[in-house]
Amino acid sequence: MEKVISDIGIISEKEKNSETGLISKENNSGKKKKLYVESYGCQMNFSDSEIVTSILAKEGYDTTSDSTEADLILINTCSIRERAEQTVRNRLNHFNGLKKKRPELTVGVLGCMAERLKSKLLEEEKIVDLVVGPDAYRDLPNLVSQVDDGHKAVNTFLSREETYADISPVRLNSNGVTAFISIMRGCDNMCSFCVVPFTRGRERSRDPQSIVNEARDLFENGYREVTLLGQNVDSYKWSSNKEFKGKAQIEKANEQEIVNFARLLEMVANVHQDLRVRFSTSHPKDITDEVLYTMIRHENICKYIHLPVQSGNTRILEMMNRTYTRNGYINKIDAIRDILGEECGISSDMIVGFCSETEKEHKDTLSLMDYAQYDFSYMFMYSERPGTLAEKKYENDIPEEIKKKRLNEIIEKQQEISLARNKRDLKKVHKILVEGFSKRSDKHLQGRNSANKVVVFPKAAFKKGQYVNVMVNDCTTATLIGEAVN
Ligand code: SAH
Ligand code: SF4
Ligand code: F3S
């Protein structure tokens, strides 16, 4: 993924566009009504927008990329940081102009902000007709018809079971090569800074067979890479015994009946050896050696792990309720390097300026980065979120300027490390899955290597979806540059 620097740190290309979110593409199949979807936040949200589009396609909606021709505008929102919510409010103001011209236009808010604010959103943002939380999308047809009848409609019910397993997503912004598959929903961790457990509800895993079927369908339709998504994929757990519902009960099921994350990975890897498998996010407290050994056994499971550390200091980690220490985290890094080697890509998320963080504790994050040698990181300034444990227990007492200074220090450190890590890849041949043209020129293609690094090379006769061996001979902090070899 290309990375850019912004005021909130190094973020993904997708997040860079977040002033306007990820917009649905035109799909005209002759249906009567037009749906415009704009998505913010994490990959799970983008994946949910594809489920929503699938549900509404059955109700006679085609998608459009032009909000001015839409009958229904849906914004799938994120609450993770204050800024994310502000962006959505700015967009609602923008759509207000459209609604003034066409009062029959319906505007709905989906996702985490809908769940967090519920019907309060209707009072705060007069333009909104529809508020739907992440577990209530099946109710959309009914809710939209309530709006058509002249009412406002809200459903923010959180479920312990909903996984949308039977709904086949309409791929909205696909390159036709890589796709995301949600394998679980919700989160049972209670990191003190984080709003996700409140907006997404309890953790639940999706039926493994439906995941494998989705992967197989994608492969048969020309896709060559799937990323299995969850807030904490290592705690994926499913039992075929219907008596055991909910995570606590599954523990009681027979060992043979349980599918854990390592087994699921193996099942998806077995769909086809030409289908690459990635996954995100791994939690340092839950990732097991069994997962690491499964990764070595299958060439098509990519050697890349996103293992967010958040802070390099044990006192801060404890306050964050991450349930591991600096040393515990270091042990996981050691296990990855021992089992999968130096080549395995590792990335992280980090928060600077958490409540009461001292200069010395911040330095611990910097020294941990030196140890872990991340290929890249997503880096953030702490943003206090209403209702979280940290908001209730601790004071958000680090001044903005200090947060910015610390953020700049970790960004600078990460850039040095990224460049050094990329230099290690020079003069080596990497197997690349071609995803499309490079961002800068249509004479070049781009794809990623197993370790998730973007590689750019001359197009020649290669095509999207092909595997190409590329000799890397140059690099920047974010990209490897090379030429195809036989
Ligand atoms: N489930 C993933 C993270 C999901 S949120 C995990 O446990 O790692 C993505 C990232 O946003 C987090 O890893 C964290 O670094 C950041 N984040 C979450 N809440 C935040 C807050 N209140 N302020 C700043 N960054 C936050
Ligand atoms: Fe948030 Fe922690 Fe759950 Fe990640 S694991 S979603 S940071 S509560
Ligand atoms: Fe944001 Fe919700 Fe994802 S808060 S990061 S969209 S789970």
Side-chain angles (χ1 to χ4, degrees), residues 375-393:
D375 295 277
F376 68 91
S377 296
Y378 299 99
M379 296 168 268
F380 310 101
M381 294 192 281
Y382 173 58
S383 164
E384 185 176 83
R385 307 309 293 133
T388 56
L389 292 177
E391 188 240 3
K392 290 181 187 148
K393 268 170 75 180

Side-chain angles (χ1 to χ4, degrees), residues 11 392 406 424 440:
I11 55 176
K392 290 181 187 148
R406 290 182 186 167
R424 291 174 44 100
R440 295 211 177 81

Side-chain angles (χ1 to χ4, degrees), residues 385-448:
R385 307 309 293 133
T388 56
L389 292 177
E391 188 240 3
K392 290 181 187 148
K393 268 170 75 180
Y394 309 121
E395 199 186 337
N396 179 16
D397 57 355
I398 306 300
E400 193 76 2
E401 312 83 79
I402 298 199
K403 285 182 182 168
K404 279 196 183 133
K405 181 190 83 77
R406 290 182 186 167
L407 180 64
N408 283 333
E409 284 173 14
I410 63 171
I411 290 174
E412 204 172 300
K413 166 76 70 188
Q414 184 56 57
Q415 291 204 301
E416 278 164 27
I417 298 173
S418 293
L419 188 60
R421 286 284 296 172
N422 285 351
K423 282 186 174 160
R424 291 174 44 100
D425 290 330
L426 298 178
K427 307 276 168 280
K428 288 181 192 151
V429 175
H430 300 251
K431 185 176 167 186
I432 310 305
L433 172 61
V434 182
E435 290 174 23
F437 289 114
S438 106
K439 295 222 169 60
R440 295 211 177 81
S441 119
D442 58 10
K443 294 193 175 60
H444 288 78
L445 293 173
Q446 83 169 40
R448 277 169 298 150

